[in-house]
Amino acid sequence: MFFIVADVLLTFIAVAMGLRVALLASLAAAIGAACGGIVMWRHGLADPVAATNLLAAVPFVSAGMIAKGMAGMASADWPLAMLRGSITGIPYKVYAVAAGKEGLTALLFFSLTIPVRLLRFAVASSLVAAIDAPLRRRFDLRRRWMLLATFWLLFYGEFAWRWFS
């Protein structure tokens, strides 16, 4: 039910500890996401209706997101659908439930999840590290964290504003 994305923590790691550590943390997060995805995959395999109802109960997950994710996983290019979803705001847990519902094997789903999630996490960490590099000379860690926190508050604020409008 986690709905604050891993990118938030990973970007703070990039600012505090640098890109190399953030990329290692991104790999760990991708593996962790794949492990959590297997739990949701299993739920989608065992009871797709209950699993879909669980998704609908997650804050900020709409019926449209669920439908789009389910349709993407039913297509032949489902790995690309997962990748598109990771940059368009459809939660990974939707794809995991859909993978179970579609009967994809756990090993295939798990093994393709890692690079799909890692790509997004690595890009977010790399972008923030690149933006942070010139700021290191001008601002201490606390101020750089405040800038990043402001970004994330605005990002989630805009997301909530669109959701409730």
Side-chain angles (χ1 to χ4, degrees):
M1 300 295 287
F2 189 52
F3 59 93
I4 301 293
V5 296
D7 309 62
V8 174
L9 178 59
L10 294 169
T11 57
F12 277 93
I13 291 170
V15 169
M17 298 177 197
L19 180 58
R20 185 170 191 261
V21 174
L23 291 175
L24 290 171
S26 295
L27 178 59
I31 293 168
C35 291
I38 288 298
V39 172
M40 296 302 289
W41 168 88
R42 177 74 175 113
H43 194 30
L45 180 69
D47 192 346
V49 173
T52 303
N53 288 338
L54 178 64
L55 292 173
V58 175
F60 302 110
V61 176
S62 69
M65 290 175 173
I66 294 169
K68 191 170 184 178
M70 294 286 178
M73 292 305 286
S75 71
D77 68 342
W78 63 266
L80 291 175
M82 268 195 343
L83 183 60
R84 279 190 302 273
S86 74
I87 57 174
T88 60
I90 298 174
Y92 166 68
K93 56 184 73 48
V94 172
Y95 293 97
V97 166
K101 181 180 174 188
E102 292 299 320
L104 295 174
T105 66
L107 182 59
L108 179 62
F109 178 69
F110 183 86
S111 63
L112 287 176
T113 286
I114 294 171
V116 167
R117 302 307 292 162
L118 179 58
L119 180 63
R120 176 175 138 173
F121 297 157
V123 167
S125 297
S126 297
L127 284 172
V128 168
I131 292 167
D132 182 61
L135 298 177
R136 286 178 178 264
R137 289 180 237 119
R138 297 189 61 203
F139 302 108
D140 64 5
L141 178 60
R142 183 175 165 269
R143 287 197 173 112
R144 294 188 338 264
W145 269 5
M146 293 303 291
L147 286 170
L148 185 57
T150 300
F151 165 79
W152 283 117
L153 287 171
L154 290 171
F155 178 88
Y156 275 103
E158 191 274 336
F159 186 80
W161 180 73
R162 277 188 294 130
W163 180 264
F164 292 112
S165 293

